[in-house]
Amino acid sequence: MSALDQLQRTLHNVSQVALARIRLGDSLQIAHERSRLIAWLGGTSELEESTGDRIADALRAFEQNRYVSGLRQARLICYGCTQPFGTPPQRLIEHSELFAILLEYVDQHHYRTRAFRKCYRGLLNCYFSYDPASTDNLAEGRHNWETLRQFLDKRKDCLDTPGYNPAWVAALSVHHNLLDKDPCKPYQLADLEENLEIFDDLRERLEISGDSWIIRKIVFSQIREAIALDDASFGANIDSLLLLLIAHPLHAGAALTLLLNRHVRSEQMEIGAALRDFSVKQWGNPWLAANAHQWQCDQEARGMVAHSLRRHLLDRFLSILSDDNARNPRRRNFWELYCGDMQGMYFALGSDAFIRGNLELHMFRHHAQSLIVRLTEGKSDTHALIMQFGEHHVVEFNNHHNPAYFYDTRHGLPPFYLSKGWVEVGALSASKMTQGIGTAPRSKALRHQDSSQLLWEGKFAELMGATENSIKAFCRKYHCQHDDLRSRGGQEWIRPTDRTQCGTEAWSVLLGWGFNPSPDEAGYCRV
């Protein structure tokens, strides 16, 4: 017969006897039978809750008398070891003399299993809730915490009773490593996906609070093991680590800082979508000044996330809202080269972008949160992307037949500039984006039209110029080799490799940057 069957049969027999004896309306008999059941079960399986007043009274009496009057008082004191009491406020775990008296008294009753484990449960709760690493806690408390750890480890085998054990006893017997000096040693990063379920189980059955030091140790033991790995192994573990941080949000900020600072040192620095989106959800948009205080990672890591988010939003705008398609990615290919130089971007959207029931549009608006304003005029299917660079603000409309408008910020801000930032306030007039085109020296319109002399990418590149970031992005995107020998009297070269695959529009960018083809050297160069 299984333990569950035995429990069911015993409860049935007890109930039958109790019902046969009971007289309706006799509350004393009901209370008596209830106490018999609780005594047989050895108390509840959950963490016992004693009212604060009873615990405080027990602590004050213990401090005054310097002895424990019985197991009932001992149980209350065990649950109150970390609770401030007295004047001035103090905690029992930081009072070596009283704490030693308590442990000695409880240890004397270790053979009385059911009574002993009620005290043990309170002490275990104290063990998990008192942080020995906190600078706010006294050195005496840290010493007593270590004494408590040794006591709990020594008496962990005195908790079993035949037939039934509370859930926390069963959990502790499986995870007895929690009482070791290195409690996280068995939890290897290689088993993290399986351990995620284990962490949830031990938290639930041992009723460990999310702010416990053991949770912090578990989280950061995995994070530190991961950041010590090589690039490929580190990248392979990111998704599992993010699941760990989602389950333990209290430590997400500090752990995310370590992950991002490690990732930015990777040879392949391009961040994955999951880590990027988690970072933005945690700290907000990385380039908005209003969020600057929230970003705890290095500036370079923050820039890595910003670059990835700009590329993602650019891709989503041109994929979902524009008439560009997968067969014509030329606008996306060009502006991706300048994402590293982009200081900001926002979107002015027509009413079609706000229709309900479209998941892609919903996700786009979610990722572009705080970067969206509404267009007040024009067709409902007119949408604009505004990109901010050091010397230019560039407006691209969703229809590629519309010209792109370049505003030279050296001659003043564009007429549609929102001085309060790109927070979803007010609306934007489409006519303001084209105001002064052709009449004001600060603005220029360029169409996405090729000529026999130069493709439109070359014309755009000529106006935007070649920057260190854009050249790196070009060589990374098209697998080219870059050599700048000008400091030694030579030339700057960009050469294709055996992995290079691109069309004439890519080489047109180099022509716009002032590079000239050199058939003899199989590349493009400039002085």
Side-chain angles (χ1 to χ4, degrees):
M1 182 182 296
S2 68
L4 183 59
D5 292 334
Q6 182 182 355
L7 174 61
Q8 183 178 7
R9 181 175 178 179
T10 305
L11 286 174
H12 176 75
N13 293 338
V14 171
S15 299
Q16 291 298 317
V17 173
L19 289 172
R21 295 176 178 175
I22 198 167
R23 295 188 299 273
L24 294 178
D26 191 344
S27 60
L28 291 177
Q29 277 194 307
I30 294 175
H32 175 67
E33 296 302 335
R34 179 178 180 274
S35 65
R36 286 185 60 200
L37 282 172
I38 292 176
W40 182 83
L41 289 172
T44 61
S45 62
E46 307 298 330
L47 177 62
E48 292 190 36
E49 294 185 3
S50 299
T51 64
D53 289 343
R54 291 162 60 196
I55 291 177
D57 290 343
L59 289 168
R60 283 192 291 267
F62 180 42
E63 179 191 24
Q64 182 178 358
N65 300 325
R66 291 297 201 269
Y67 69 86
V68 181
S69 61
L71 283 169
R72 180 179 178 80
Q73 186 194 34
R75 176 170 58 85
L76 292 171
I77 296 172
C78 288
Y79 277 99
C81 284
T82 59
Q83 176 178 312
F85 71 98
T87 305
Q90 59 180 327
R91 292 185 286 184
L92 186 65
I93 195 172
E94 295 175 344
H95 195 302
S96 295
E97 179 186 353
L98 293 178
F99 194 68
I101 294 173
L102 174 65
L103 291 187
E104 182 180 1
Y105 180 87
V106 172
D107 196 38
Q108 290 172 1
H109 297 274
H110 71 271
Y111 61 91
R112 301 176 60 181
T113 305
R114 288 190 174 91
F116 173 74
R117 72 183 177 196
K118 291 181 181 181
C119 296
Y120 188 101
R121 184 68 183 96
L123 292 172
L124 186 66
N125 181 55
C126 169
Y127 170 71
F128 286 130
S129 61
Y130 189 83
D131 188 355
S134 173
T135 55
D136 295 331
N137 294 332
L138 301 179
E140 191 172 3
R142 292 191 287 272
H143 172 78
N144 292 335
W145 178 90
E146 174 60 24
T147 302
L148 174 61
R149 184 194 67 78
Q150 295 175 15
F151 172 83
L152 294 173
D153 186 44
K154 174 184 175 182
R155 293 303 186 192
K156 65 179 180 291
D157 297 325
C158 301
L159 306 173
D160 293 337
T161 51
Y164 171 78
N165 282 302
W168 68 268
V169 174
L172 189 62
S173 66
V174 175
H175 302 286
H176 55 81
N177 55 283
L178 296 177
L179 301 175
D180 294 342
K181 283 190 173 183
D182 187 2
C184 301
K185 187 176 182 180
Y187 308 132
Q188 301 298 314
L189 181 63
D191 305 318
L192 179 55
E193 289 190 13
E194 299 175 10
N195 287 340
L196 288 173
E197 186 175 346
I198 292 174
F199 298 154
D200 290 340
D201 177 68
L202 69 87
R203 270 196 65 184
E204 180 179 352
R205 292 202 286 169
L206 293 173
E207 298 188 15
I208 301 174
S209 172
D211 61 356
S212 171
W213 62 268
I214 189 64
I215 300 300
R216 184 185 69 243
K217 268 189 172 293
I218 288 174
V219 169
F220 285 99
S221 68
Q222 307 297 298
I223 296 293
R224 290 192 175 94
E225 185 177 349
I227 63 179
L229 297 172
D230 60 81
D231 290 351
S233 301
F234 169 73
N237 280 284
I238 284 179
D239 287 350
S240 295
L241 291 168
L242 292 179
L243 290 175
L244 179 67
L245 299 188
I246 290 171
H248 306 289
L250 187 63
H251 306 292
L256 181 60
T257 297
L258 296 176
L259 290 180
L260 291 176
N261 289 345
R262 166 63 181 85
H263 200 296
V264 80
R265 300 197 308 268
S266 300
E267 186 174 344
Q268 298 295 330
M269 202 175 70
E270 187 64 33
I271 189 175
L275 182 55
R276 176 198 67 218
D277 293 346
F278 184 84
S279 303
V280 174
K281 183 177 181 180
Q282 187 75 19
W283 295 328
N285 185 289
W287 65 77
L288 292 181
N291 299 330
H293 67 285
Q294 299 187 77
W295 282 80
Q296 304 169 21
C297 60
D298 294 343
Q299 188 64 32
E300 188 178 4
R302 179 182 170 189
M304 172 185 66
V305 178
H307 180 266
S308 177
L309 181 59
R310 288 192 289 262
R311 284 190 58 186
H312 173 69
L313 292 176
L314 172 70
D315 174 77
R316 293 291 81 200
F317 177 84
L318 294 175
S319 299
I320 300 172
L321 292 170
S322 81
D323 60 355
D324 294 14
N325 54 52
R327 295 182 180 179
N328 183 28
R330 290 174 61 179
R331 283 203 292 178
R332 182 175 69 249
N333 288 341
F334 177 79
W335 288 116
E336 276 185 350
L337 302 179
Y338 286 96
C339 281
D341 296 306
M342 205 180 295
Q343 297 175 354
M345 67 192 314
Y346 64 104
F347 304 89
L349 305 179
S351 58
D352 282 1
F354 299 91
I355 60 175
R356 297 183 178 182
N358 187 312
L359 181 59
E360 283 191 315
L361 283 175
H362 173 78
M363 292 305 298
F364 171 75
R365 294 196 305 270
H366 174 72
H367 289 140
Q369 188 175 5
S370 299
L371 304 174
I372 295 175
V373 293
R374 288 178 179 266
L375 282 175
T376 59
E377 58 187 44
K379 296 181 179 179
S380 61
D381 60 351
T382 297
H383 316 292
L385 159 65
I386 299 95
M387 296 171 282
Q388 301 166 290
F389 299 95
E391 296 182 356
H392 293 93
H393 283 191
V394 183
V395 180
E396 280 274 18
F397 284 92
N398 56 314
N399 190 325
H400 78 278
H401 293 298
N402 284 70
Y405 297 96
F406 293 75
Y407 289 85
D408 190 337
T409 56
R410 292 172 296 182
H411 298 286
L413 294 172
F416 52 83
Y417 183 79
L418 301 180
S419 61
K420 293 185 179 180
W422 324 124
V423 184
E424 296 176 51
V425 294
L428 198 61
S429 169
S431 63
K432 284 188 176 181
M433 297 183 194
T434 60
Q435 181 179 332
I437 294 296
T439 61
R442 65 179 180 176
S443 56
K444 186 173 185 178
L446 290 179
R447 292 192 173 275
H448 308 89
Q449 292 180 347
D450 302 329
S451 67
S452 57
Q453 291 81 23
L454 198 62
L455 302 187
W456 69 258
E457 286 90 345
K459 300 173 185 176
F460 279 45
E462 198 171 33
L463 182 57
M464 292 295 296
T467 66
E468 181 181 354
N469 287 329
S470 61
I471 290 175
K472 286 182 179 179
F474 183 95
C475 294
R476 184 168 55 247
K477 183 178 183 67
Y478 298 114
H479 303 288
C480 293
Q481 178 182 341
H482 177 230
D483 297 301
D484 191 351
L485 307 177
R486 290 176 296 178
S487 62
R488 291 176 284 175
Q491 296 175 312
E492 183 179 13
W493 287 89
I494 295 181
R495 296 182 174 91
T497 66
D498 54 2
R499 298 173 59 199
T500 300
Q501 292 183 353
C502 60
T504 55
E505 63 272 8
W507 305 126
S508 182
V509 171
L510 296 184
L511 296 177
W513 285 346
F515 287 83
N516 295 304
S518 176
D520 296 338
E521 296 288 341
Y524 288 75
C525 68
R526 67 176 180 177
V527 179

